[in-house]
Amino acid sequence: MAQSPEDHYFSAQPASDGELRTLDVRLAGRDVEVVTAGGIFSPDGVDKGTRVLLEEAPQPPPAGTFLDLGCGWGPLALTLALGSPAATVHAVDVNQRALDLCRRNAASLGCDNVRVSVPKEVADGTRFDLIWSNPPIRVGKAVLHGMLTTWLPRLAPGPDSAAHLVVQKNLGSDSLQTWLARTLPDLMGPVVVTRAASSKGFRVLRVTRG
């Protein structure tokens, strides 16, 4: 049976040792070795959208509570953890294989400040000083909007807290920006949604409390 486009987000179980592949990638300004496997998003390396976010987002603060929403094998979470070792980084995904790979990579890189989990394992009261995400646009608006309206209101209070989302322009980044600006105030009070960067066919959207 053919897989649906959503399978790499929702279906995969942890990979066997024989399915693992080793990659050399550059994260947080250093060359590191990570493991990936099929059945997840972007198993062949750091995808273009994630790379744009890493290039365009401001340098994370040295400490705080951070979230990588839809972590995959971990390029965003690992970058945050390596660059801000005093921070606590929550790496969240629904794909068990992706979570297993992210755990392996965090352990091999000595990132003991990464907390890898499914969404329901993050305590309800947790608030985030920084959210980075390359959200799964192709799962459809209902799932995407549900993710964003669940997690973006968990931005910590204060003007320094921010979320950065990278979205491909031809997959609706501009309409998503409009929707966020219209929807989020009902959930979290005044917000500012801006296009922080545009590069290589992607937009980086920034959400802050107004």
Side-chain angles (χ1 to χ4, degrees):
M1 180 181 296
Q3 288 188 323
S4 72
E6 297 83 12
D7 279 350
H8 65 263
Y9 294 118
F10 295 117
S11 302
Q13 296 301 308
S16 69
D17 288 343
E19 295 173 308
L20 298 176
R21 64 185 78 165
T22 301
L23 298 177
D24 294 317
V25 297
R26 190 164 182 82
L27 300 175
R30 67 191 76 178
D31 296 319
V32 298
E33 185 177 275
V34 298
V35 291
T36 71
I40 64 167
F41 177 68
S42 193
D44 297 321
V46 181
D47 67 285
K48 290 181 180 179
T50 297
R51 182 60 64 192
V52 167
L53 179 55
L54 292 172
E55 292 171 352
E56 299 292 344
Q59 185 72 20
T65 303
F66 304 161
L67 171 66
D68 174 4
L69 179 59
C71 64
W73 56 261
L76 294 179
L78 296 172
T79 297
L80 291 169
L82 290 167
S84 302
T88 298
V89 181
H90 290 266
V92 172
D93 209 302
V94 296
N95 182 308
Q96 292 294 335
R97 180 172 295 188
L99 295 174
D100 177 61
L101 293 167
C102 190
R103 287 190 192 97
R104 289 172 183 256
N105 290 327
S108 69
L109 296 178
C111 296
D112 57 5
N113 55 333
V114 176
R115 308 286 182 264
V116 182
S117 66
V118 294
K120 67 181 180 181
E121 292 174 340
V122 180
D124 290 341
T126 306
R127 295 294 178 263
F128 302 101
D129 303 294
L130 183 66
I131 297 174
W132 278 6
S133 182
N134 183 351
I137 298 297
R138 296 182 186 275
V139 297
K141 286 185 177 180
V143 174
L144 174 66
H145 289 176
M147 288 177 59
L148 297 179
T149 55
T150 295
W151 292 97
L152 292 179
R154 298 178 73 169
L155 272 176
D160 295 331
S161 299
H164 291 88
L165 316 174
V166 64
V167 183
Q168 196 167 342
K169 181 180 177 182
N170 64 11
L171 291 181
S173 61
D174 294 345
S175 61
L176 181 63
Q177 180 181 349
T178 300
W179 179 85
L180 290 169
R182 183 178 67 246
T183 304
L184 291 179
D186 290 338
L187 302 173
M188 53 191 295
V191 298
V192 178
V193 183
T194 58
R195 184 190 304 167
S198 184
S199 177
K200 302 173 185 176
F202 290 87
R203 311 283 203 209
V204 177
L205 306 181
R206 176 180 170 89
V207 180
T208 56
R209 291 187 179 273

